[in-house]
Amino acid sequence: MTPFLNRVEAGRLLAEALCASLPDLTSRKDVIVLALPRGGVPLGLEVARALNAPLDLMLVRKLGVPGHRELAMGAIASGARVLNQDVIRSCGISDEDLEAVAREEQLELERRARRYRGDKPWPELKDRCVILVDDGIATGATMEVAARAVRQQQPTLLVLAVPVAPPSSLGRFTPLVDRIVCLMTPESFWAIGAWYRDFSQLNDEQVITMMREAEQWAGGDCG
C-alpha cells in the first residue's frame, strides 16, 4: 500500500471517504468535527472544510509509564479515563505513581486548552453528529478515551474517521462508536508514521493557525 503524501492529503482522502460512506453529512446542520491535536488537526481541517462543518479539538493525553513514557498505561480526556491494566500490573505501577502521572498530564491538557482555544467555550455535543479525526490509530488507547468522553455527552451519531489503523485496534471501537471510516487497515502495522511520506511533527503555533483558519473559511461540499 502506498503511503499518504502528508496529513493534508490524508485529510482530503478521508473527507472523500466520509462523503461516500455517509452522503447526508453535508446536508446535516448538526455536524461537528473534533480533531485530536496535534497530528489530527490538519486532517480535521480538511474534513471540516469538505463537510462545511465547524472544527474543534478533542484534547487527550497519554499516561506514560514512569521512566518509559512512550509506553502507555492509559489515557485521559476531559471527563474520561482509560487504563491498560495489563501494563499497570506488568510494570508494577502503584496507585500513587498513576495519579502523579495523571495530574501532570491533566495540567498539560489544561495548558493546551488555553493555548489552542483561549477562553472560547467548549461546544455542546449532545444531540449532534460528532466526527472524531486523527492521523491514525496504533494501539487505540488515546482514541478510545476520546470516544468515551464524547459518548458521555450523548451525541446522536458518533463517527470515527482515520486514514490508517490495524484491524486489531479498530475492533475495540465497535461498541463505542456508530460508524468507522478508515482508509487502510494493514495487518502488518509498525507505526502510524510509516504510512506517511511526510510525518513531520506539528508545533503549537501551527495548530493555532489551523484553528484560526477553520474559523474563517467559507466551507465547501462533497461535490
Side-chain angles (χ1 to χ4, degrees):
M1 287 178 269
T2 303
F4 302 106
L5 176 62
N6 52 33
R7 291 182 179 90
V8 172
E9 181 192 61
R12 290 172 181 166
L13 293 173
L14 193 58
E16 292 175 4
L18 280 162
C19 289
S21 178
L22 296 161
D24 68 328
L25 283 179
T26 52
S27 62
R28 297 182 64 143
K29 303 302 183 184
D30 62 343
V31 177
I32 182 170
V33 179
L34 297 183
L36 276 65
R38 299 182 180 102
V41 178
L43 292 90
L45 182 61
E46 295 301 322
V47 170
R49 180 183 288 115
L51 299 181
N52 196 18
L55 172 67
D56 214 307
L57 303 176
M58 169 49 67
L59 296 173
V60 183
R61 291 294 295 174
K62 179 175 70 175
L63 300 178
V65 171
H68 302 278
R69 300 305 288 266
E70 73 284 353
L71 177 60
M73 57 182 174
I76 60 169
S78 177
R81 177 189 292 193
V82 172
L83 299 178
N84 188 326
Q85 295 295 346
D86 290 339
V87 172
I88 291 171
R89 283 193 296 268
S90 64
C91 294
I93 305 299
S94 68
D95 290 344
E96 292 77 12
D97 287 342
L98 174 60
E99 292 307 320
V101 173
R103 285 193 297 271
E104 179 183 342
E105 295 301 343
Q106 181 63 38
L107 289 174
E108 178 61 15
L109 274 182
E110 294 168 2
R111 184 199 71 80
R112 288 195 177 197
R114 291 190 299 270
R115 185 85 171 93
Y116 298 158
R117 306 180 76 260
D119 57 1
K120 179 182 173 183
W122 289 99
E124 174 63 54
L125 302 182
K126 182 177 172 61
D127 298 329
R128 297 189 72 172
C129 172
V130 179
I131 303 176
L132 272 176
V133 178
D134 203 357
D135 54 13
I137 291 175
T139 66
T142 302
M143 182 60 83
E144 181 180 348
V145 75
R148 290 187 183 278
V150 172
R151 181 58 78 189
Q152 289 177 0
Q153 299 187 52
Q154 301 179 318
T156 55
L157 185 69
L158 177 53
V159 181
L160 169 62
V162 293
V164 60
S168 58
S169 292
L170 280 184
R172 71 195 293 175
F173 293 98
T174 302
L176 295 178
V177 303
D178 300 302
R179 295 290 293 271
I180 297 173
V181 176
C182 183
L183 304 181
M184 296 195 301
T185 55
E187 291 286 352
S188 178
F189 191 95
W190 177 58
I192 296 172
W195 302 97
Y196 288 82
R197 294 178 187 171
D198 178 4
F199 198 64
S200 303
Q201 295 302 302
L202 302 175
N203 57 41
D204 285 355
E205 288 68 30
Q206 289 171 299
V207 171
I208 293 167
T209 297
M210 284 183 278
M211 294 306 296
R212 287 174 178 164
E213 181 180 349
E215 294 177 354
Q216 296 172 358
W217 55 258
D221 56 46
C222 286

